[in-house]
Amino acid sequence: MREDPSGHVAVVGAGVIGLAVAWRAAQRGLRVTVVAPDRTPGTASDVAAGMLTPATEAAFGEEPLMRLGALSRDRYPAFAAELEAETGLPSGLRTAGTLQVAFDADDLARLAETRDLLDRLGLATERLTGRACRELEPMLAPGVRGGFLAPDDHAVDPRLLTAALRAALRGRGVRTVREPAAAVLTADGRVRGVRTASGADVPADRVVLAAGVWTSGIGGLPGGVVPPLRPVKGQVLRLLLPDGEPPLITRTVRGLVRGTPVYLVPRDGREVVLGATQEEMGADLRPTAGGMWELLRDAHALVPGVSELEVAETRVGLRPGSPDNEPLLGPTAVPGLHLAAGHFRHGVLLTPATADALADALTGGALPDYARRFSADRGSDGSEAPQWT
Ligand code: GLY
């Protein structure tokens, strides 16, 4: 079904996904309102390190997701350049590649298997000895066994990206209603807008739910249209180099330490982001001593100099995990209702691909080919019954 491109879209959620969808929709000539409070503790894109690493975050059995990730990563330079040109603000994109390293022989064996998978998928990597890893990053521990460079896996600063997207929306006259959405409004079976927590109505003939893990708590919809999204807790530390010190690392370093993954992401300036735990704890926003200890223990095993850094921030984000851990994109069984949700570990990475796909769906009625597998109504069995149970 073709949707009227001159219509009004309400985007619920103001993480990087919601903001980027709103930006692309406004660029296509749609009237857009963003509905979201200024800050929601646990918002994943406020906590995320911003890695764009489909190769070094690859997991067996997730090949389609990795392909989508690689497509989105490859769109980042143009996406960031366009945003920077439109707003005059930085996006924090760094294109220095990612170094994946192994702490011990078992970790090295696991990395060799990952490299075989990446070779099969055509994702570039360069195998490195321990010594070659240290030539690239001299602050690595002498015991690091080896690893590989993923030259196309980069990073962005999600906080800068958020600020730039907000500025782009202001520049395009997008209205923001700074409240949580309580319910989607429907009449005659199709979407009519959004009701906020204070009871105000935002009329719209299309609604995009992009509220991270809170997406499935929004009312007003038949059961099963929006699947349950589970919060997957991630604890992150932001560390600061002393003023005037040279960088500790010059590119993202990901490591396996006795089988446990850890990453260190340098920013321009003094900051290094260290992450992340992955805990199925419900919506628990408490940083814990154990979580911080594990991060510091493993980061220190790879880059001992982290122990000299100042702790600037401990943060907890809630990754939105869908039932199959894949994102939910585009139209649902309710006419006018779209999802841009369930991005789990990959929200920042998948932002350009998601925003482009939603803009297509909102203006043309269909997702582009690359996004079809991730269609929000993929649980549908062809009947009128709700699909996600
Ligand atoms: N993508 C990194 C994380 O979820 O920790």
Side-chain angles (χ1 to χ4, degrees):
M1 183 190 56
R2 276 190 90 73
E3 303 245 28
D4 172 13
S6 65
H8 186 179
V9 183
V11 178
V12 176
V16 287
I17 297 277
L19 295 174
V21 169
W23 183 45
R24 287 300 194 217
Q27 286 178 323
R28 301 271 184 110
L30 294 164
R31 204 149 49 89
V32 182
T33 302
V34 173
V35 182
D38 272 341
R39 268 191 94 101
T40 306
T43 297
S45 54
D46 193 33
V47 177
M51 292 178 298
L52 310 177
T53 52
T56 44
E57 201 153 350
F60 288 92
E62 293 189 350
E63 289 82 351
L65 192 54
M66 288 160 52
R67 284 197 192 88
L68 181 69
L71 177 145
S72 197
R73 176 196 64 189
D74 294 345
R75 290 186 180 197
Y76 247 102
F79 176 86
E82 189 183 343
L83 186 61
E84 290 179 5
E86 189 165 316
T87 61
L89 293 174
S91 64
L93 179 67
R94 286 170 62 110
T95 53
T98 292
L99 182 62
Q100 172 81 63
V101 298
F103 176 73
D104 65 19
D106 288 345
D107 297 324
L108 195 59
R110 272 187 58 188
L111 290 195
E113 288 169 7
T114 303
R115 259 198 86 229
D116 288 346
L117 172 68
L118 298 177
D119 279 353
R120 286 199 296 281
L121 288 162
L123 294 174
T125 59
E126 187 188 327
R127 193 169 76 83
L128 298 170
T129 62
R131 177 190 295 230
C133 291
R134 280 183 289 280
E135 278 167 11
L136 285 180
E137 294 295 345
M139 298 306 281
L140 282 177
V144 164
R145 298 296 289 258
F148 62 83
L149 180 69
D152 303 322
D153 272 10
H154 301 310
V156 72
D157 183 336
R159 292 179 180 179
L160 292 181
L161 193 64
T162 299
L165 285 165
R166 283 189 187 277
L169 296 186
R170 283 194 298 276
R172 288 183 173 273
V174 169
R175 192 165 77 98
T176 300
V177 175
R178 297 180 194 286
E179 280 194 67
V184 175
L185 300 170
T186 58
D188 301 326
R190 75 163 286 131
V191 152
R192 298 292 172 206
V194 172
R195 179 157 296 159
T196 70
S198 72
D201 287 352
V202 179
D205 57 359
R206 271 151 276 182
V207 170
V208 180
L209 298 184
V213 74
W214 297 276
T215 300
S216 46
I218 295 169
L221 294 165
V225 170
V226 178
L229 297 174
R230 68 185 201 289
V232 183
K233 177 178 178 180
Q235 303 193 44
V236 166
L237 272 163
R238 283 185 154 72
L239 306 174
L240 291 181
L241 286 157
D243 249 340
E245 287 276 309
L248 187 68
I249 49 174
T250 59
R251 56 177 65 69
T252 298
V253 173
R254 299 183 61 114
L256 267 185
V257 181
R258 298 184 195 91
T260 303
V262 66
Y263 50 79
L264 300 98
V265 182
R267 299 257 190 257
D268 290 340
R270 296 168 56 204
E271 192 175 80
V272 178
V273 184
L274 172 53
T277 64
Q278 182 164 318
E279 302 162 71
E280 304 271 354
M281 298 276 293
D284 175 17
L285 288 172
R286 295 168 309 141
T288 62
M292 297 300 154
W293 175 72
E294 282 170 27
L295 290 178
L296 286 167
R297 177 197 64 195
D298 293 342
H300 180 265
L302 299 179
V303 184
V306 291
S307 57
E308 305 298 323
L309 306 188
E310 177 186 334
V311 176
E313 217 182 308
T314 58
R315 290 296 293 275
V316 176
L318 300 177
R319 304 177 184 92
S322 69
D324 58 11
N325 288 340
E326 293 191 353
L328 298 145
L329 306 180
T332 65
V334 175
L337 180 72
H338 297 251
L339 301 186
H343 290 76
F344 191 31
R345 295 182 61 93
H346 306 292
V348 178
L349 169 66
L350 296 177
T351 291
T354 298
D356 291 345
L358 265 288
D360 280 5
L362 288 165
T363 53
L367 288 168
D369 283 348
Y370 70 77
R372 291 229 169 97
R373 176 196 164 93
F374 306 98
S375 160
D377 66 355
R378 62 180 173 271
S380 173
D381 59 3
S383 74
E384 302 230 326
Q387 55 269 39
W388 297 100
T389 51

